[in-house]
């Protein structure tokens, strides 16, 4: 029973630590990307803000909020704290993986769009070259 106040206090500290970890990591990521982002992309801020909002939502969804329920009465508060901390790390890893998967899907979609545009341009160029070749052949036959 004397561990109850310590347990509640530990739970509060772990919840604060989890929130700081998630917010701090996101802030570092955002700052790093903003510093290394070309100015041409910074000008398209509405689209960029939408993407950042999606990343924020995905990161916030990964938040754990498991309680420090006592599964074993002999388990010490430190063992429970360690279990909770490992849960936070697992949740954080899972959230990062979800964000990376989402970014990968977006990058693949962009790459597919660029490939489609290049293929369309190539088709137009080949059609144009074919047309010019036919005109040259006709003019040579007429001469």
């Amino acid at each position: 029973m004397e561990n109850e106040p310590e347990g509640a206090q530990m739970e509060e500290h772990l919840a604060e630590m989890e929130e700081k970890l998630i917010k701090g990591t996101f802030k570092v990521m955002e700052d790093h990307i903003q510093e290394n982002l070309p100015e041409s992309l910074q000008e398209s801020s509405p689209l960029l803000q939408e993407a950042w909002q999606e990343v924020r939502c995905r990161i916030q969804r990964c938040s754990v909020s498991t309680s420090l329920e006592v599964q074993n009465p002999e388990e010490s508060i430190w063992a429970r704290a360690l279990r909770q901390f490992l849960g936070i790390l697992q949740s954080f890893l899972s959230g990062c993986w979800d964000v990376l998967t989402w970014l990968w899907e977006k990058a693949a979609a962009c790459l597919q769009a660029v490939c489609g545009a290049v293929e369309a341009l190539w088709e137009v160029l080949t059609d144009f070259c074919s047309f010019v070749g036919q005109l040259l052949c006709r003019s040579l036959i007429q001469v």
Side-chain angles (χ1 to χ4, degrees):
M1 285 295 187
E2 66 186 51
N3 282 349
E4 287 302 317
E6 276 185 39
Q9 193 175 29
M10 184 66 69
E11 185 175 347
E12 288 175 26
H13 288 299
L14 286 171
E16 289 173 18
M17 185 172 35
E18 176 187 12
E19 188 175 329
K20 287 178 184 177
L21 177 69
I22 290 171
K23 286 181 180 179
T25 303
F26 179 74
K27 179 75 172 127
V28 167
M29 271 180 18
E30 189 172 22
D31 290 347
H32 179 72
I33 290 172
Q34 289 295 332
E35 289 172 5
N36 296 311
L37 193 66
E39 287 187 32
S40 60
L41 289 177
Q42 288 178 359
E43 293 170 5
S44 63
S45 63
L47 183 59
L48 194 58
Q49 292 303 324
E50 258 181 55
W52 272 118
Q53 188 59 35
E54 179 69 22
V55 170
R56 278 188 196 103
C57 288
R58 289 178 180 277
I59 286 175
Q60 288 171 353
R61 260 189 258 151
C62 80
S63 175
V64 185
S65 290
T66 58
S67 63
L68 285 173
E69 74 278 352
V70 179
Q71 294 179 350
N72 182 358
E74 287 110 31
E75 183 180 40
S76 73
I77 188 167
W78 300 112
R80 287 186 288 159
L82 177 61
R83 187 169 27 89
Q84 178 70 14
F85 183 71
L86 291 175
I88 290 170
L89 289 179
Q90 181 64 36
S91 172
F92 182 71
L93 179 64
S94 172
C96 288
W97 188 253
D98 289 346
V99 169
L100 288 174
T101 301
W102 176 78
L103 287 172
W104 181 259
E105 290 169 358
K106 293 297 177 184
C110 288
L111 187 59
Q112 284 179 340
V114 168
C115 287
V118 168
E119 286 174 356
L121 181 62
W122 181 255
E123 188 176 321
V124 168
L125 285 174
T126 55
D127 288 347
F128 176 74
C129 290
S130 175
F131 177 72
V132 170
Q134 288 174 0
L135 282 178
L136 288 174
C137 285
R138 286 183 194 159
S139 67
L140 286 175
I141 293 175
Q142 290 177 356
V143 173

